[in-house]
Amino acid sequence: MEAISGYVEHIIFQNSTNGYTVLSLMTEDGEVTCVGTLMGISQGESISAWGDVISHPVYGEQFKVASFQVVAPADRVSIERYLASGAVRGVGAALAARIVKKFGDDTFRIMEEEPERLAEVKGISLRKAQEIAEQMEERKDLRDALVYLQQFGISNTLAVKIYDAYGMELYGILSENPYRLAEDISGIGFRIADEIASKIGIHTDSDYRIRCGVMYVLSQALGEGHCYLPMDVLLERASMLLHVEAVYIRPQVDNLMMDRKCVIKQDAVFAASYYYAELNCAHMLHGLNLTLMTGDDTCARDKIRRLAKELHMDVDDLQQEAVLESIKRGLFLLSGGPGTGKTTTINMMIRYFEAEGLDIFLAAPTGRAAKRMTEATGYEAKTIHRLLELNGALSDEADRKVKFERNEENPLEADVVIIDEMSMVDLPLLQSLLKAIVPGTRLILVGDVDQLPSVGPGQVLRDIMESGAFPMVVLKRIFRQAQKSDIVVNAHRINRGEQIALDNKSRDFFLLERSDVNVIYKHMIQLIREMLPRYVNASPFDIQVLTPMRKGGLGVETLNGILQRYLNPPDASKREHVSGDTVYREGDKVMQIRNNYQLEWEVVSKYGIPVDKGTGIFNGDMGKILEIDEMASQLVVEFDEQRRVTYPFALLDELELSYAVTVHKSQGSEYPAVILPLLGGPKMLFNRNLLYTAVTRAKSCVTILGSSATVRSMIENVSENKRYTALADRIRELAP
């Protein structure tokens, strides 16, 4: 590592979000271009920097800064240069010269200790002298805070967040209870706070530490889909995390309950917000469950039969019953597997309500699912987030609460709301949806309850159905047209636990028996590049590899590296950027891996003119990298519906390559062809539920690369990761 010193002659680029900076540093040996995270630095300042000389393919030789320190100007020339640089608002070159002429080498001391004396300089009033002194003090306080926080391994980006949140109080907060950072500041979790606490010398059995650890365990459980943890599971996990015996943790759980941070219901421990989310959803679901049509239903039945005949729809008695129930009740659930006529039933409902002159809104959890719904019904379907008019601004940076314009105070102006792919909807999104629907509006929830549950916490479709409190119809009959598809037929056989034919006599369902991982790689690439695009009339970009795992030879992380190398190889015409272990390259297929409600997107015409814009990119959205700009420290991704998003490099941890994705991440999507590499793995992953979900993602072709024995064992394996949710209990408790 090398060291250089000089003054900042010019800041070429600075990203205010992540602090990434490109600047020109004037040293004794001449001008040096420096790049790196240099938060809080200003033109004219003198710095010492440590790092390495790198060679950029476009911008040439640069000094990549690993760490830096601002050095106070030591002589008249340096002081005048700093003041004249614009670092201090209201001080230009002429005024800087007069200040230094008056006070000489003592200028900085005067500005910090006797700022009122600046009024002795022509052109500076007493008020302006005070403003200059305040600016100098703010910059000094920030620099001191950055240096102080660096000793705890905190990045400059997080350090600025801490300083903005606490100001000069940060020193007292860190010395007394650094665990407050985990509660107050996004980006700082329990582990960072715990590292700071250990360096400060806070005991491992500190009450603050145990309480923060318990809340961290509950928050981690949310990431696994749970809404609560049983007390014994919570104590066991917290004990392993904190290295503290459970007997010392249990009283702090009670204290958290007293502080209303958590709720204990019998043996279940909830983060308070999730207990009340389930309770509120149960209340609102019962509130919507009104009888909207009473008396004789003969007229409605006749209308349904007449509509089916006019529209040439093949509708059986159960589907007609589903349409009738959706007319009679304020809340109705429709479920069924592929090919059972859910789409036809939805279309019948839409045509009936349209004939009655009712306003109908259609929505689904993801852009891909909404697009499929639009294509299947001929009516515009939106994502639930767009339906609820997502506001990109968050109400509270610490709480990370999502704001929707449509809510209990500004509900949806609709007579009927139909939501498809409900198995993907998590508890927070259900709560936001229900808040925006007034009793008297018909809410129809549609989904396949046998699909994998939502990525987020909860399993709301399953819980609502299992409560038994609301009218529902489950379609089971596979229609004649769907019976021609072995994808549909095999999916139902898998779901029933029946073994499937793997003899490759099918036209759309194949198994290539392979036992060598390297051979699987070879055939996977051949299938994507050469065979499947012609077979299903799609581009290689649309062929999707799905896998149960993230790790291992056939996991997402390994497969994406291999597939990128062959499907989008390095090329002089393609710019790329390395972030962590990932190389992002123009043309890459990528996926957003967490909800970001603030990311702005826009749709542009072929002339580059914006024609639509909005906020919010969500977990599972897939797109393509159009452009990488190292100078601006950002890249551009185009998602479905031509939505373009600019990502600063600091947000690249929200993007990952998606040539291969986990089955869980594929929910709600449909691909022309799916490739499933299956050689074996953890029993809790390689189960019937996962195989069923994977197979139903394919529209025209499923190809399994691997072991037929693995497929058979997955069909027999009914074990699933149990989700700790209690929405069904809350619904039953409130049942009239």
Side-chain angles (χ1 to χ4, degrees):
M1 191 172 284
E2 299 180 28
I4 59 172
S5 297
Y7 68 90
V8 179
E9 185 177 66
H10 177 54
I11 293 181
I12 301 165
F13 170 81
Q14 188 165 58
N15 187 311
S16 59
T17 303
N18 60 20
Y20 181 84
T21 304
V22 181
L23 59 81
S24 174
L25 188 72
M26 189 57 69
T27 70
E28 290 181 355
D29 299 324
E31 190 176 345
V32 177
T33 300
C34 296
V35 297
T37 303
L38 296 106
M39 187 73 81
I41 205 164
S42 299
Q43 212 159 277
E45 286 187 311
S46 298
I47 65 168
S48 293
W50 295 266
D52 297 297
V53 176
I54 60 169
S55 180
H56 191 279
V58 177
Y59 303 111
E61 197 171 273
Q62 298 176 332
F63 187 82
K64 189 172 184 178
V65 178
S67 62
F68 75 97
Q69 186 175 5
V70 175
V71 180
D75 54 56
R76 290 181 177 221
V77 174
S78 300
I79 294 170
E80 184 175 338
R81 184 169 56 227
Y82 172 70
L83 293 176
S85 69
V88 180
R89 290 189 308 276
V91 178
L95 188 53
R98 291 203 297 274
I99 293 171
V100 175
K101 183 178 180 181
K102 174 73 176 175
F103 301 116
D105 293 344
D106 209 24
T107 297
F108 266 28
R109 188 195 66 76
I110 294 289
M111 295 177 83
E112 291 176 2
E113 298 176 13
E114 303 176 74
E116 67 280 357
R117 289 192 58 194
L118 288 173
E120 297 173 16
V121 177
K122 184 181 177 182
I124 300 181
S125 65
L126 200 58
R127 182 178 175 182
K128 187 168 185 176
Q130 191 61 41
E131 288 175 357
I132 292 170
E134 286 172 2
Q135 287 185 61
M136 296 293 289
E137 188 65 27
E138 282 177 15
R139 300 197 68 81
K140 181 177 181 296
D141 289 345
L142 174 58
R143 284 199 297 269
D144 290 347
L146 295 184
V147 172
Y148 174 73
L149 292 169
Q150 275 176 0
Q151 67 182 302
F152 302 116
I154 296 175
S155 69
N156 280 343
T157 306
L158 280 181
V160 171
K161 276 189 176 183
I162 295 170
Y163 180 79
D164 288 343
Y166 301 133
M168 297 306 289
E169 292 180 20
L170 72 89
Y171 301 100
I173 289 169
L174 260 67
S175 62
E176 292 172 17
N177 177 19
Y179 295 99
R180 267 191 63 183
L181 273 65
E183 295 180 19
D184 297 343
I185 298 170
S186 65
I188 296 185
F190 170 79
R191 295 192 182 279
I192 294 177
D194 203 34
E195 284 178 21
I196 296 170
S198 66
K199 289 175 181 175
I200 289 172
I202 289 177
H203 293 298
T204 56
D205 60 354
S206 152
D207 290 353
Y208 289 134
R209 180 172 186 267
I210 292 174
R211 292 170 67 169
C212 188
V214 168
M215 294 309 297
Y216 175 75
V217 169
L218 287 175
S219 71
Q220 291 296 102
L222 294 174
E224 298 168 23
H226 305 303
C227 293
Y228 73 87
L229 286 178
M231 181 67 78
D232 58 343
V233 175
L234 173 65
L235 294 177
E236 181 184 352
R237 291 190 180 190
S239 181
M240 289 177 63
L241 172 74
L242 299 166
H243 303 291
V244 173
E245 290 183 30
V247 67
Y248 299 110
I249 299 171
R250 182 65 178 83
Q252 297 305 327
V253 179
D254 290 332
N255 288 337
L256 285 165
M257 183 184 70
M258 296 293 287
D259 288 345
R260 300 182 181 181
K261 295 282 182 68
C262 71
V263 172
I264 302 175
K265 185 83 170 176
Q266 296 171 328
D267 188 47
V269 184
F270 298 78
S273 60
Y274 277 81
Y275 173 79
Y276 290 110
E278 286 193 334
L279 188 61
N280 290 340
C281 285
H283 267 294
M284 291 186 286
L285 286 165
H286 279 296
L288 292 172
N289 188 29
L290 304 175
T291 300
L292 300 180
M293 188 182 84
T294 57
D296 188 10
D297 58 21
T298 304
C299 183
R301 289 182 183 276
D302 289 343
K303 282 185 180 179
I304 293 168
R305 282 192 286 267
R306 191 164 59 250
L307 265 175
K309 190 173 181 181
E310 289 173 2
L311 299 169
H312 306 291
M313 288 184 175
D314 182 12
V315 183
D316 67 11
D317 291 343
L318 194 56
Q319 288 174 296
Q320 289 186 42
E321 197 62 34
V323 177
L324 184 64
E325 283 297 309
S326 73
I327 296 165
K328 293 164 68 174
R329 304 302 294 267
L331 177 63
F332 177 70
L333 291 93
L334 177 66
S335 186
T340 57
K342 291 196 303 296
T343 300
T344 301
T345 308
I346 292 171
N347 276 322
M348 276 295 299
M349 292 173 181
I350 292 170
R351 297 320 187 268
Y352 184 96
F353 292 131
E354 184 185 38
E356 294 293 303
L358 302 183
D359 291 326
I360 308 161
F361 287 172
L362 308 183
T366 66
R368 282 178 173 248
K371 185 178 180 183
R372 285 174 58 197
M373 196 178 187
T374 299
E375 291 167 352
T377 64
Y379 284 75
E380 182 192 9
K382 299 178 179 179
T383 64
I384 298 174
H385 291 86
R386 289 195 76 183
L387 178 72
L388 299 180
E389 297 176 19
L390 173 72
N391 183 334
L394 298 178
S395 62
D396 186 334
E397 178 75 4
D399 285 345
R400 308 299 290 175
K401 289 181 181 175
V402 184
K403 294 286 285 183
F404 291 105
E405 295 298 329
R406 294 292 180 175
N407 50 43
E408 56 269 58
E409 295 176 358
N410 181 29
L412 292 167
E413 297 171 5
D415 300 306
V416 182
V417 177
I418 304 176
I419 308 294
D420 199 7
E421 295 287 358
M422 270 300 298
S423 63
M424 296 179 64
V425 174
D426 61 18
L427 183 67
L429 187 55
L430 176 69
Q431 181 174 225
S432 296
L433 174 67
L434 295 177
K435 283 180 178 179
I437 298 177
V438 295
T441 301
R442 289 177 172 85
L443 175 61
I444 301 165
L445 306 179
V446 184
D448 183 351
V449 75
D450 294 314
Q451 297 282 345
L452 288 170
S454 57
V455 174
Q459 48 183 10
V460 298
L461 180 62
R462 183 180 295 277
D463 281 355
I464 295 171
M465 291 178 66
E466 286 184 356
S467 74
F470 309 114
M472 68 176 131
V473 166
V474 179
L475 303 174
K476 294 187 181 296
R477 173 193 159 201
I478 306 175
F479 279 78
R480 187 168 58 251
Q481 187 174 353
Q483 288 175 1
K484 298 175 184 177
S485 165
D486 285 324
I487 295 173
V488 172
V489 172
N490 285 342
H492 283 274
R493 285 178 178 159
I494 290 166
N495 201 32
R496 293 193 298 265
E498 300 170 7
Q499 293 298 333
I500 58 176
L502 297 170
D503 53 14
N504 290 337
K505 293 180 180 178
S506 169
R507 290 184 302 174
D508 59 14
F509 202 104
F510 306 97
L511 180 131
L512 305 181
E513 190 82 40
R514 303 289 185 269
S515 58
D516 187 315
V517 171
N518 290 311
V519 173
I520 289 176
Y521 296 155
K522 175 186 172 185
H523 287 292
M524 189 182 294
I525 292 159
Q526 285 179 334
L527 285 166
I528 296 171
R529 284 205 305 202
E530 302 164 19
M531 302 168 75
L532 285 176
R534 292 198 305 270
Y535 193 69
V536 298
N537 191 29
S539 72
F541 192 87
D542 295 321
I543 311 298
Q544 189 60 53
V545 176
L546 302 182
T547 175
M549 305 174 293
R550 290 199 60 81
K551 305 290 184 181
L554 294 178
V556 163
E557 293 173 8
T558 301
L559 286 175
N560 271 319
I562 292 167
L563 292 171
Q564 181 195 44
R565 191 185 317 152
Y566 288 95
L567 301 179
N568 188 32
D571 189 289
S573 65
K574 296 176 185 175
R575 288 170 289 190
E576 54 186 53
H577 174 76
V578 180
S579 178
D581 297 329
T582 304
V583 176
Y584 295 92
R585 186 175 296 130
E586 290 176 343
D588 271 338
K589 189 175 179 179
V590 291
M591 173 184 278
Q592 175 79 11
I593 59 170
R594 65 178 67 103
N595 290 340
N596 187 322
Y597 303 100
Q598 290 180 301
L599 270 178
E600 297 178 355
W601 54 262
E602 66 177 14
V603 178
V604 299
S605 69
K606 63 180 180 180
Y607 303 108
I609 300 169
V611 294
D612 193 11
K613 62 181 180 179
T615 57
I617 297 294
F618 306 107
N619 195 346
D621 284 354
M622 293 175 70
K624 182 178 184 179
I625 297 177
L626 296 184
E627 179 187 349
I628 295 175
D629 188 338
E630 282 285 348
M631 198 66 177
S633 189
Q634 63 189 30
L635 57 78
V636 178
V637 177
E638 184 172 272
F639 290 97
D640 291 330
E641 301 168 323
Q642 289 80 53
R643 294 172 300 153
R644 293 189 180 185
V645 177
T646 299
Y647 284 81
F649 287 165
L651 285 183
L652 289 186
D653 61 342
E654 296 188 5
L655 276 183
E656 67 180 22
L657 298 176
S658 62
Y659 299 98
V661 302
T662 61
V663 177
H664 234 125
K665 291 284 190 184
S666 72
Q667 286 175 271
S669 297
E670 185 178 69
Y671 311 100
V674 161
I675 299 172
L676 298 174
L678 299 173
L679 265 186
K683 185 177 180 182
M684 293 304 290
L685 277 180
F686 280 65
N687 57 39
R688 182 187 301 172
N689 189 216
L690 185 135
L691 181 61
Y692 171 74
T693 301
V695 166
T696 57
R697 297 306 91 207
K699 184 177 182 181
S700 302
C701 184
V702 170
T703 305
I704 299 173
L705 279 170
S707 162
S708 56
T710 298
V711 176
R712 294 190 180 97
S713 69
M714 289 179 76
I715 294 171
E716 293 171 1
N717 179 13
V718 294
S719 66
E720 296 176 34
N721 287 320
K722 175 176 171 54
R723 286 203 170 188
Y724 296 115
T725 66
L727 178 59
D729 295 334
R730 301 291 86 82
I731 291 171
R732 284 191 286 263
E733 288 171 0
L734 296 173

